[in-house]
Structure formats: C-alpha cells, structure tokens
Amino acid sequence: MSGPLIEARNITRVLPGEVETTLINGIDLAINAGEFVAITGPSGSGKSSLMYLLGLLDSPTSGDILVEGRSTAGMPEDERAKLRLETLGFVFQFHFLLAEFSALDNVMLPMRALEKRTPAEMEAHAMDLLTRLGLKEHAHKRPDQMSGGQRQRVAIARALANDPKVILADEPTGNLDTASTDQVFGIIRTLVGEGGRSVIVVTHDPHLAARASRRLHVVDGKLAPIPTE
Amino acid sequence: MGLALDIAVTHIRSRLRQTLVGVLGVATGVGFSVMMAGLMEGSQRDFISQLVDSLPHITVSDERRTPPVQPAAEVYADVEISNLSTVDRRRGIKNPLAVISEIEGWAPARIAPSVRANILLRQAGRDVGAVMLGIDPRREILVSNVASKMVEGQLDNLLKASNAVILGARLAERLGVRVGNTITISSSGGKAMTATAVGIFRTGVAQIDDSQLYALTRTAQILAGQTGLINELRLKADNALEARELATRIEAETGYKAVSWQEAHEDLLNAFNIRNFIMYTVVGAILLVASFGTYNIISTITHEKTRDIAIMKSLGLRAAVVRRIFVIEALIIGFIGMGAGFLFGFLMTQALGSLEFRSPYGDATHLPVIYAPLHYALAGSIALGASFIAAWLPARKAASVNPVDIIRGAS
C-alpha cells in the first residue's frame, strides 16, 4: 500500500445541542507509514477530538476519514470496531486498564477480541510485549499493585497487542512524573517505524512534541501554523 | 464467548456480596415455586387418585340422557300431544350380561354389575338415608378398592351371612353401629329387612364413607323388589384418563347413560384448573420479584463498569460482545440461583411431605407432595428467562455507551 495510513478529508465535528459547538472545522491531513506525528494546541482547541476522529472512536459530522485508503463514512459501528481492533492501538492519559484483570490479561484482551492467535500464542506475545517494556515481573499483578508509570507501560503493551499500524496516544504522559514521562515517551518513540508503524501523539508539552517527526498545531478546531517558542 | 464469559465471571467474582444476594433472590423464588407447585399438585393428585381409586371410572346406569321418543310422537310427528304418560318400563339394564359381554369385547376396562338403591337405615330410633350398592364381592375387587379399605371385617364376609352389609365408617359412626350389630333397612318402595353389619370400610372420601353401604346383589334386588335387577354397571378403565372417551363410546353403543369420573367431578376439575392458574400466577410473581434483584445487580455493575465498557469498545470490542458480557453475568446468577433453588425447593418439599396430620375420620396422613421434573423445569426456565430479560435492558444500555463521552469525561 503506497497511500497514507490515515487520511482526513475536510472533516468537521459539530456537537449538537441548543447551542452547537464546533470541535473540528474542516481539517485535511494525511498520516503516512512510519511517521511520528505530534498534535499540539491549547486546552480545548480540539486536538483530542481530532485524535478520536482519526482513531475512529468518533465520527465526523461531515467529511471522511480513510484508513489505508478505505472510506469510513457511513461504515457500520461493528465494522469500525473491527478496523480499530486490527489497525489501531490506543494509549490514553489515564491508563484505563481493567482493574480486576492482571497486566497479562489486560494485554491479551485485544488479541482475544480479534481471535487471530491461539491462546498459547496470545500469552506468549503478551509476555514478550511486557518483557520488552520491562514489566515481566509484573505480568500477573493487577493495576492497583503497580505504579503510574508501570500502568501506562501496560497500556502501551495493550495498544501494541494486535501489532497495529497506527498508535494513537492522547496525552500519554499527562498524568506521570518527569522520570516516568521520559521513560514512557522514550518507549513510544521506539515504536515508530517498526514495520511501517506510525504514531500520533496528542500533547500539550512542546518539548515532547519537538521530538516528533511532524507536528500539527490545532487552534479552534483548525490546523494552524506552529507557534514559535 | 470465551472473552465475554471470562469478563462476566471476573465481574461477578469481584462482587461476591451482590452476587450472593442475586443468587439468593433467584434461589428463593425457584425454591418456593418448586415447593408450592409440588404441594399444590401433590394434594390435587392425591385427591384425584383417592377419588379415582375409590370410585369406578365409569358408571353406566339404566337412565338415558334424553327421554325415549314415545310411539305416539313417532307416528304423529306434526301433532302436539299433551299430558302423555310414559309407559311404565321395567327398571334396570336390559339383558345386563349381554351388555357386559359387548363392552368387555372392546373396552380396555374391567366391569362389575351392581344394584344401586336408595334406602333408609334405622338403628336405635335414628333414621339415616343411605345408598345401598348390591355387588358381587368377587367382581367388586375388579372395579374398586373397597376390599383394601376395610377397617373392620372383610369384603368376603358379605357371603358368610344372610342379609349382610358393610357400612362406610362415618355412616356406622352416625348410627352407632359396630360389626355384628343388626340394623333395619327399608327401601323407597316400602320393603324392609333386617341386616347384619359384617364390616366397616373407610375410603377417605367423605361422600362415600358417610352414605354408602355394600350388600350382595341378591339382597339389594330383594329390597328393590325386582329379581334379576341390575341397574348399574361400574367400570375400571386400564387408563383412568381415557374414561371420558370410553364412556362416550359405551353410551353411543348401549344407549345407557355412561358417566365418567371426569364428568361426575367436572366442577371439581374446573376448580383445580382455576387453582392451578392461581398457583402459576403466584409462582410467576415470585420469580418476577426475584428477577428485579438480578436487574438491580446487573444495572449496578453496568453503571460501575461504564468506564471499562468504554475502554473495551475503544479497543474494538463489538457492542454485541459487551451486551453478551452482562447477559452472561445475569445467566450465571440465574443458573447458580436455579441450582440452589432446586435444592432449596427439594428440601422444603421433603420437609413439608414429612409433616404428619391427624384427621378425626382417618389415619394419620402426611401432606401429599410430588417431585415433578416439570415443576423444576418450569421454575428453572422462568428464572433463567427472567434473568435474561432483567439483564437485557442494562446490557443494551451498556453496549450503546459512546466511548468518547466516557474517555473525554475521565480526562
């Protein structure tokens, strides 16, 4: 496939209500294989909304989002869910791990939903990912038995479970201390380019954004020129 | 299914107290339903079996459903005839042996001829109306269990004395008659005789024990004033439930009125139907109330797990899988509750069945209960169905969660 992994074509997202709120206003962009894209912008500018749209968690009010050239406009929810499961991986500001499950079970969850590996393969792959992220000793711990940085690393391992082509991270270090931030961001950085994988990170931290290969700045739901620091 | 099941099991295991309350709700519902159905149907069956065992399944009498057409009416069909007297026919079933032989030829039933006569018993200055049944003791055992219901004497004693009678226990008590006593019997036709009580029976059916006595056919014929009279054929069908159909055919073939036990006790059977309807309504209500508990638990879990649901959906779990998780949770509660309810119901039924009741007119008896697989199947299916429905609404709500709303809120 030679085209962009994700392409947004003039997407707009308007929240309905007595007073309509425009979150995203006519954005065009393309994310190519192997890119590390940082989305920055002030609070409430629409950067997270843009990520939700690019990650098919939300649907644009108008415009279209293409994933590997495939239009998602009007796509049934189950199909969008399958596309997310196969192609996209998510890391959120809060780890959002399932509290009653161990780290290993959390990482295996997307694999079990996709059902493309045998149970033994799933466990081995989940263990590989946790080992790679330095969590081998914590594989059988539940989230409440781990530190914030460890939980976020488990969330990264879960995002990688189905070997997605794109990782979308929404303020992945927003809730971590400086040491953990460096560690987690460092890990995210290493994921870029593996098998053509792209990473899209939403961050308000200009220093972290500076480490990305491309930076998109969102102001009032539109792409704007990157401000000079 | 594996993933949904794992998540469901984890959810309910992490909420043991709530799960236990839900399980107890379903178990109580199922247990009481099973116990109640076992008790109600047990008493019903016991009553019917007493009725069916004590009485013949079909009684063919010398009456007809409609009066025979008079010869004058046959000849002058268009003429209105008033004050026409019917011919005084000889009473009884005509050629009873031939009729018996004909019925025996095709009916899966045993037959005993008898003479039924309304009589008046006189003892110690008291007059009591009763029904005398003139029987042949050797044939009587084919159609009734009176021989096994003797509390004093034996049925065969009828053959050992002249004008011997066997009385129902309550009738004997009313008259103060004991075995060996002599009583005076007079018929509605004015004939009187002295008879000796040679036995007392108790069927457990008050109507019989209170007003019936047995004598030999010959004795009853003498009282009725008609030699060779047989005015009743009593049949015991191989299958009591086929009595109605057999009676219809007998009546069609012989012309004599044949009444099945179902027809004779139509009002009672209707009352049982109404009672069963009430019982199943109450059972349904109990299980419905139990299902509210399940609804409450699943609703609480879905509410508490909204964030997890959003995460699972954001990862790519389909809405159907999310829905399945909560339906499985309810079904697990339903299944465990059902199993516990079966045990609870069984034990309660057993406890009730062991209770002893003493009647002034009978032997000590236990509460009649039955253990019918149908009751368990019904209560179990209703409990599972109710659990499924109780889970469906919250599960559907959970599956429709928009992950972005939750993620945005959490952030």
Side-chain angles (χ1 to χ4, degrees), chain B residues 14-51:
Chain B
S14 64
R15 272 158 191 77
L16 271 182
R17 201 164 55 103
Q18 280 177 318
T19 305
L20 193 66
V21 171
V23 165
L24 280 178
V26 177
T28 309
V30 171
F32 271 102
S33 305
V34 164
M35 181 271 287
M36 209 169 138
L39 183 63
M40 296 282 269
E41 200 169 327
S43 63
Q44 177 180 325
R45 278 200 201 175
D46 180 67
F47 188 83
I48 289 178
S49 87
Q50 269 194 31
L51 208 65

CSV table of all heavy atoms in Angstrom, one decimal, chain B residues 14-51:
chain,number,residue,atom,x,y,z
B,14,SER,N,-15.8,-10.5,41.6
B,14,SER,CA,-15.3,-9.3,42.3
B,14,SER,C,-16.4,-8.6,43.1
B,14,SER,O,-16.2,-7.7,43.8
B,14,SER,CB,-14.7,-8.3,41.4
B,14,SER,OG,-15.6,-7.8,40.5
B,15,ARG,N,-17.7,-9.1,42.9
B,15,ARG,CA,-18.8,-8.6,43.6
B,15,ARG,C,-19.6,-9.7,44.3
B,15,ARG,O,-20.7,-9.9,44.0
B,15,ARG,CB,-19.7,-7.8,42.7
B,15,ARG,CG,-19.3,-6.4,42.5
B,15,ARG,CD,-19.8,-5.8,41.3
B,15,ARG,NE,-19.1,-4.5,41.1
B,15,ARG,CZ,-17.9,-4.4,40.7
B,15,ARG,NH1,-17.2,-5.4,40.4
B,15,ARG,NH2,-17.3,-3.2,40.6
B,16,LEU,N,-18.8,-10.4,45.1
B,16,LEU,CA,-19.4,-11.6,45.7
B,16,LEU,C,-20.7,-11.4,46.6
B,16,LEU,O,-21.6,-12.1,46.5
B,16,LEU,CB,-18.4,-12.3,46.6
B,16,LEU,CG,-17.4,-13.3,45.9
B,16,LEU,CD1,-16.5,-13.9,46.9
B,16,LEU,CD2,-18.3,-14.4,45.2
B,17,ARG,N,-20.6,-10.3,47.3
B,17,ARG,CA,-21.8,-10.0,48.2
B,17,ARG,C,-23.1,-9.7,47.3
B,17,ARG,O,-24.1,-10.3,47.6
B,17,ARG,CB,-21.5,-8.8,49.1
B,17,ARG,CG,-22.4,-8.7,50.3
B,17,ARG,CD,-21.8,-7.7,51.3
B,17,ARG,NE,-21.6,-6.4,50.7
B,17,ARG,CZ,-22.4,-5.4,50.9
B,17,ARG,NH1,-23.4,-5.5,51.7
B,17,ARG,NH2,-22.1,-4.2,50.3
B,18,GLN,N,-22.9,-8.9,46.3
B,18,GLN,CA,-24.0,-8.6,45.4
B,18,GLN,C,-24.5,-9.8,44.7
B,18,GLN,O,-25.7,-10.1,44.6
B,18,GLN,CB,-23.6,-7.5,44.4
B,18,GLN,CG,-23.6,-6.1,44.9
B,18,GLN,CD,-23.2,-5.2,43.9
B,18,GLN,OE1,-22.2,-5.4,43.2
B,18,GLN,NE2,-23.8,-4.0,43.8
B,19,THR,N,-23.5,-10.6,44.2
B,19,THR,CA,-23.8,-11.8,43.5
B,19,THR,C,-24.6,-12.8,44.4
B,19,THR,O,-25.6,-13.4,44.0
B,19,THR,CB,-22.5,-12.5,43.0
B,19,THR,OG1,-21.8,-11.6,42.3
B,19,THR,CG2,-22.8,-13.7,42.2
B,20,LEU,N,-24.1,-12.9,45.7
B,20,LEU,CA,-24.8,-13.8,46.6
B,20,LEU,C,-26.3,-13.3,46.8
B,20,LEU,O,-27.2,-14.2,46.9
B,20,LEU,CB,-24.0,-13.8,47.9
B,20,LEU,CG,-24.4,-14.9,48.9
B,20,LEU,CD1,-24.0,-16.2,48.4
B,20,LEU,CD2,-23.8,-14.6,50.3
B,21,VAL,N,-26.5,-12.0,46.9
B,21,VAL,CA,-27.8,-11.5,47.1
B,21,VAL,C,-28.7,-11.9,45.9
B,21,VAL,O,-29.8,-12.4,46.1
B,21,VAL,CB,-27.8,-10.0,47.3
B,21,VAL,CG1,-29.2,-9.4,47.3
B,21,VAL,CG2,-27.2,-9.6,48.7
B,22,GLY,N,-28.1,-11.7,44.7
B,22,GLY,CA,-28.9,-12.0,43.5
B,22,GLY,C,-29.2,-13.5,43.4
B,22,GLY,O,-30.3,-13.9,43.1
B,23,VAL,N,-28.2,-14.3,43.8
B,23,VAL,CA,-28.4,-15.8,43.7
B,23,VAL,C,-29.4,-16.2,44.7
B,23,VAL,O,-30.3,-17.0,44.5
B,23,VAL,CB,-27.0,-16.5,44.0
B,23,VAL,CG1,-27.2,-18.0,44.4
B,23,VAL,CG2,-26.1,-16.4,42.8
B,24,LEU,N,-29.4,-15.6,45.9
B,24,LEU,CA,-30.4,-15.9,47.0
B,24,LEU,C,-31.8,-15.5,46.5
B,24,LEU,O,-32.7,-16.3,46.8
B,24,LEU,CB,-30.0,-15.2,48.3
B,24,LEU,CG,-28.9,-15.8,49.1
B,24,LEU,CD1,-28.7,-15.0,50.4
B,24,LEU,CD2,-29.4,-17.3,49.5
B,25,GLY,N,-31.9,-14.4,45.8
B,25,GLY,CA,-33.2,-14.0,45.3
B,25,GLY,C,-33.8,-15.0,44.4
B,25,GLY,O,-34.9,-15.4,44.5
B,26,VAL,N,-32.9,-15.4,43.4
B,26,VAL,CA,-33.4,-16.4,42.4
B,26,VAL,C,-33.7,-17.7,43.1
B,26,VAL,O,-34.7,-18.4,42.8
B,26,VAL,CB,-32.4,-16.6,41.3
B,26,VAL,CG1,-32.8,-17.6,40.3
B,26,VAL,CG2,-32.1,-15.2,40.6
B,27,ALA,N,-32.8,-18.1,44.0
B,27,ALA,CA,-32.9,-19.4,44.7
B,27,ALA,C,-34.2,-19.4,45.5
B,27,ALA,O,-34.9,-20.4,45.5
B,27,ALA,CB,-31.7,-19.7,45.6
B,28,THR,N,-34.5,-18.3,46.2
B,28,THR,CA,-35.7,-18.3,47.0
B,28,THR,C,-36.9,-18.4,46.1
B,28,THR,O,-37.9,-19.2,46.4
B,28,THR,CB,-35.8,-17.0,47.8
B,28,THR,OG1,-34.6,-16.8,48.5
B,28,THR,CG2,-36.9,-17.0,48.8
B,29,GLY,N,-36.9,-17.7,45.0
B,29,GLY,CA,-38.0,-17.7,44.0
B,29,GLY,C,-38.2,-19.1,43.5
B,29,GLY,O,-39.3,-19.6,43.5
B,30,VAL,N,-37.1,-19.7,43.0
B,30,VAL,CA,-37.2,-21.0,42.4
B,30,VAL,C,-37.6,-22.1,43.5
B,30,VAL,O,-38.5,-22.9,43.3
B,30,VAL,CB,-35.9,-21.5,41.8
B,30,VAL,CG1,-35.9,-22.9,41.4
B,30,VAL,CG2,-35.6,-20.6,40.6
B,31,GLY,N,-37.0,-22.0,44.7
B,31,GLY,CA,-37.3,-22.9,45.8
B,31,GLY,C,-38.8,-22.9,46.2
B,31,GLY,O,-39.4,-23.9,46.2
B,32,PHE,N,-39.3,-21.7,46.4
B,32,PHE,CA,-40.7,-21.6,46.8
B,32,PHE,C,-41.6,-22.0,45.7
B,32,PHE,O,-42.6,-22.6,46.0
B,32,PHE,CB,-41.0,-20.2,47.3
B,32,PHE,CG,-40.7,-20.0,48.7
B,32,PHE,CD1,-39.6,-19.3,49.2
B,32,PHE,CD2,-41.6,-20.5,49.7
B,32,PHE,CE1,-39.3,-19.1,50.5
B,32,PHE,CE2,-41.3,-20.3,51.1
B,32,PHE,CZ,-40.2,-19.6,51.5
B,33,SER,N,-41.2,-21.7,44.5
B,33,SER,CA,-42.1,-22.1,43.3
B,33,SER,C,-42.2,-23.6,43.3
B,33,SER,O,-43.2,-24.2,43.1
B,33,SER,CB,-41.5,-21.6,42.0
B,33,SER,OG,-41.3,-20.2,42.1
B,34,VAL,N,-41.0,-24.3,43.4
B,34,VAL,CA,-40.9,-25.7,43.3
B,34,VAL,C,-41.7,-26.4,44.4
B,34,VAL,O,-42.5,-27.3,44.2
B,34,VAL,CB,-39.5,-26.2,43.3
B,34,VAL,CG1,-39.4,-27.7,43.6
B,34,VAL,CG2,-38.8,-25.9,42.0
B,35,MET,N,-41.6,-25.8,45.6
B,35,MET,CA,-42.2,-26.3,46.8
B,35,MET,C,-43.7,-26.2,46.7
B,35,MET,O,-44.5,-27.1,46.9
B,35,MET,CB,-41.7,-25.6,48.0
B,35,MET,CG,-42.3,-26.1,49.3
B,35,MET,SD,-43.8,-25.1,49.8
B,35,MET,CE,-43.1,-23.6,50.2
B,36,MET,N,-44.1,-25.0,46.2
B,36,MET,CA,-45.5,-24.7,46.1
B,36,MET,C,-46.2,-25.5,45.1
B,36,MET,O,-47.3,-26.1,45.3
B,36,MET,CB,-45.7,-23.2,45.7
B,36,MET,CG,-47.0,-22.6,46.3
B,36,MET,SD,-46.9,-20.8,46.0
B,36,MET,CE,-48.5,-20.5,45.5
B,37,ALA,N,-45.5,-25.7,43.9
B,37,ALA,CA,-46.1,-26.5,42.8
B,37,ALA,C,-46.2,-27.9,43.3
B,37,ALA,O,-47.2,-28.6,43.0
B,37,ALA,CB,-45.3,-26.3,41.6
B,38,GLY,N,-45.2,-28.4,44.0
B,38,GLY,CA,-45.1,-29.8,44.5
B,38,GLY,C,-46.3,-30.1,45.5
B,38,GLY,O,-46.9,-31.1,45.4
B,39,LEU,N,-46.5,-29.1,46.3
B,39,LEU,CA,-47.6,-29.2,47.3
B,39,LEU,C,-48.9,-29.2,46.7
B,39,LEU,O,-49.8,-30.0,47.0
B,39,LEU,CB,-47.4,-28.1,48.4
B,39,LEU,CG,-48.3,-28.2,49.6
B,39,LEU,CD1,-48.1,-29.4,50.4
B,39,LEU,CD2,-48.1,-27.0,50.4
B,40,MET,N,-49.1,-28.2,45.8
B,40,MET,CA,-50.4,-28.0,45.2
B,40,MET,C,-50.8,-29.1,44.3
B,40,MET,O,-51.9,-29.7,44.4
B,40,MET,CB,-50.5,-26.7,44.4
B,40,MET,CG,-50.2,-25.4,45.2
B,40,MET,SD,-51.7,-24.9,46.1
B,40,MET,CE,-52.4,-23.8,44.9
B,41,GLU,N,-49.9,-29.5,43.5
B,41,GLU,CA,-50.2,-30.6,42.6
B,41,GLU,C,-50.2,-31.9,43.3
B,41,GLU,O,-51.0,-32.8,43.0
B,41,GLU,CB,-49.2,-30.7,41.4
B,41,GLU,CG,-49.8,-31.4,40.2
B,41,GLU,CD,-49.1,-31.3,39.0
B,41,GLU,OE1,-48.5,-30.2,38.7
B,41,GLU,OE2,-49.1,-32.3,38.2
B,42,GLY,N,-49.4,-32.0,44.4
B,42,GLY,CA,-49.4,-33.3,45.2
B,42,GLY,C,-50.8,-33.5,45.8
B,42,GLY,O,-51.4,-34.5,45.8
B,43,SER,N,-51.3,-32.4,46.4
B,43,SER,CA,-52.6,-32.5,47.0
B,43,SER,C,-53.7,-32.8,46.0
B,43,SER,O,-54.7,-33.5,46.2
B,43,SER,CB,-53.0,-31.3,47.8
B,43,SER,OG,-53.1,-30.1,47.0
B,44,GLN,N,-53.6,-32.1,44.8
B,44,GLN,CA,-54.6,-32.3,43.8
B,44,GLN,C,-54.5,-33.8,43.3
B,44,GLN,O,-55.6,-34.4,43.2
B,44,GLN,CB,-54.2,-31.4,42.6
B,44,GLN,CG,-55.2,-31.6,41.4
B,44,GLN,CD,-54.8,-30.6,40.3
B,44,GLN,OE1,-54.4,-29.5,40.6
B,44,GLN,NE2,-54.9,-31.0,39.1
B,45,ARG,N,-53.3,-34.3,43.0
B,45,ARG,CA,-53.2,-35.7,42.5
B,45,ARG,C,-53.7,-36.7,43.6
B,45,ARG,O,-54.3,-37.7,43.3
B,45,ARG,CB,-51.8,-36.0,42.2
B,45,ARG,CG,-51.4,-35.5,40.8
B,45,ARG,CD,-50.2,-36.2,40.3
B,45,ARG,NE,-49.5,-35.5,39.3
B,45,ARG,CZ,-48.4,-35.9,38.8
B,45,ARG,NH1,-47.8,-36.9,39.2
B,45,ARG,NH2,-47.8,-35.2,37.8
B,46,ASP,N,-53.4,-36.4,44.8
B,46,ASP,CA,-53.8,-37.3,45.9
B,46,ASP,C,-55.3,-37.3,46.0
B,46,ASP,O,-55.9,-38.4,46.1
B,46,ASP,CB,-53.2,-36.7,47.2
B,46,ASP,CG,-53.6,-37.6,48.4
B,46,ASP,OD1,-53.1,-38.8,48.4
B,46,ASP,OD2,-54.4,-37.2,49.3
B,47,PHE,N,-55.9,-36.1,45.9
B,47,PHE,CA,-57.4,-36.1,45.9
B,47,PHE,C,-58.0,-36.8,44.8
B,47,PHE,O,-58.9,-37.7,44.9
B,47,PHE,CB,-57.8,-34.6,45.9
B,47,PHE,CG,-59.3,-34.5,46.2
B,47,PHE,CD1,-59.8,-34.4,47.5
B,47,PHE,CD2,-60.2,-34.3,45.1
B,47,PHE,CE1,-61.1,-34.3,47.7
B,47,PHE,CE2,-61.5,-34.2,45.3
B,47,PHE,CZ,-62.0,-34.2,46.6
B,48,ILE,N,-57.4,-36.6,43.6
B,48,ILE,CA,-58.0,-37.2,42.4
B,48,ILE,C,-57.8,-38.8,42.5
B,48,ILE,O,-58.6,-39.5,42.1
B,48,ILE,CB,-57.4,-36.6,41.1
B,48,ILE,CG1,-57.9,-35.2,40.9
B,48,ILE,CG2,-57.7,-37.5,39.9
B,48,ILE,CD1,-57.4,-34.5,39.7
B,49,SER,N,-56.6,-39.1,42.9
B,49,SER,CA,-56.3,-40.6,43.0
B,49,SER,C,-57.2,-41.3,44.0
B,49,SER,O,-57.7,-42.4,43.8
B,49,SER,CB,-54.8,-40.9,43.2
B,49,SER,OG,-54.6,-40.9,44.6
B,50,GLN,N,-57.5,-40.5,45.1
B,50,GLN,CA,-58.4,-41.1,46.1
B,50,GLN,C,-59.8,-41.3,45.4
B,50,GLN,O,-60.5,-42.3,45.6
B,50,GLN,CB,-58.5,-40.2,47.3
B,50,GLN,CG,-57.6,-40.5,48.4
B,50,GLN,CD,-57.9,-39.8,49.6
B,50,GLN,OE1,-59.1,-39.6,49.9
B,50,GLN,NE2,-56.9,-39.5,50.4
B,51,LEU,N,-60.1,-40.3,44.7
B,51,LEU,CA,-61.4,-40.2,44.0
B,51,LEU,C,-61.5,-41.4,43.0
B,51,LEU,O,-62.5,-42.2,42.9
B,51,LEU,CB,-61.6,-38.9,43.3
B,51,LEU,CG,-63.0,-38.3,43.1
B,51,LEU,CD1,-63.6,-38.0,44.4
B,51,LEU,CD2,-62.9,-37.1,42.3
